[in-house]
Amino acid sequence: MTVKLPKPAPRKEEEVAVSMIIPCRNERYNVLPAVERMPHMGRHTEIIFCDDKSTDGTGAEVERFIRLHPERDIRLVEGPAVCKADNACTGFRAARGDVLMVLDGDLAVMLEELPYFLKGLLSGTGEFINGNRLAASLPNSKIRHEIHEYDGK
């Protein structure tokens, strides 16, 4: 049996709130650049750090930035210390946005590129957008974003 679902309808950026989920473990030194470089996306952007039982003070550093940046919607949730996938799912459950985005705590993806992912998602081209950070290491290439067109197959 084949089930064909309709393509998602295009949406405007100002119509959606974005939840940026950052699963992390022992990424204390990446909290500052994550907060400072995080672009504002949609009508609202929340940043959810999912600390997976770090031993380096990651959670305390997130709490410090929550106090330093009350104008930003930054939250800290405790991960289950099982695996990265379960940690990310903890963030999904805590998210309040219309669009969920995941950024690895090591910040291997350039935060300045995140709006391109949102633009691809909202264009109606697909309902799942996956970036490939490995393409950035190819000689003479820019980071490439793959939009997996949703065709119901």
Side-chain angles (χ1 to χ4, degrees):
M1 174 183 354
T2 301
V3 177
K4 181 131 177 117
L5 299 174
K7 285 176 83 171
R11 294 182 285 175
K12 294 180 181 174
E13 187 171 344
E14 60 271 9
E15 295 174 351
V16 299
V18 176
S19 295
M20 179 56 62
I21 297 157
I22 306 175
C24 52
R25 181 158 192 220
N26 296 328
E27 298 289 353
R28 176 178 160 212
Y29 295 107
N30 285 326
V31 174
L32 168 76
V35 171
E36 289 186 345
R37 292 175 45 209
M38 183 65 62
H40 292 277
M41 296 176 285
R43 73 173 184 273
H44 180 77
T45 302
E46 70 175 341
I47 305 169
I48 303 172
F49 287 92
C50 304
D51 184 30
D52 213 16
K53 311 290 188 242
S54 295
T55 58
D56 72 342
T58 298
E61 186 72 350
V62 172
E63 289 172 344
R64 185 170 82 87
F65 274 88
I66 290 171
R67 289 188 303 275
L68 287 174
H69 294 280
E71 76 284 359
R72 303 292 305 263
D73 186 358
I74 304 170
R75 293 193 292 143
L76 173 65
V77 297
E78 294 295 325
V82 175
C83 65
K84 181 179 168 184
D86 284 352
N87 194 18
C89 287
T90 299
F92 294 156
R93 287 188 292 277
R96 298 182 291 233
D98 306 300
V99 173
L100 305 182
M101 299 178 81
V102 178
L103 174 69
D104 288 349
D106 63 2
L107 308 183
V109 172
M110 292 176 33
L111 281 76
E112 296 78 11
E113 300 287 325
L114 294 172
Y116 295 112
F117 291 91
L118 181 62
K119 182 179 178 181
L121 183 67
L122 297 179
S123 72
T125 304
E127 57 185 10
F128 176 77
I129 307 297
N130 185 36
N132 182 346
R133 67 182 177 195
L134 299 177
S137 64
L138 297 174
N140 303 318
S141 71
K142 296 179 181 177
I143 289 183
R144 297 185 183 109
H145 305 284
E146 299 174 11
I147 298 176
H148 298 281
E149 191 167 325
Y150 185 77
D151 63 7
K153 292 183 183 178

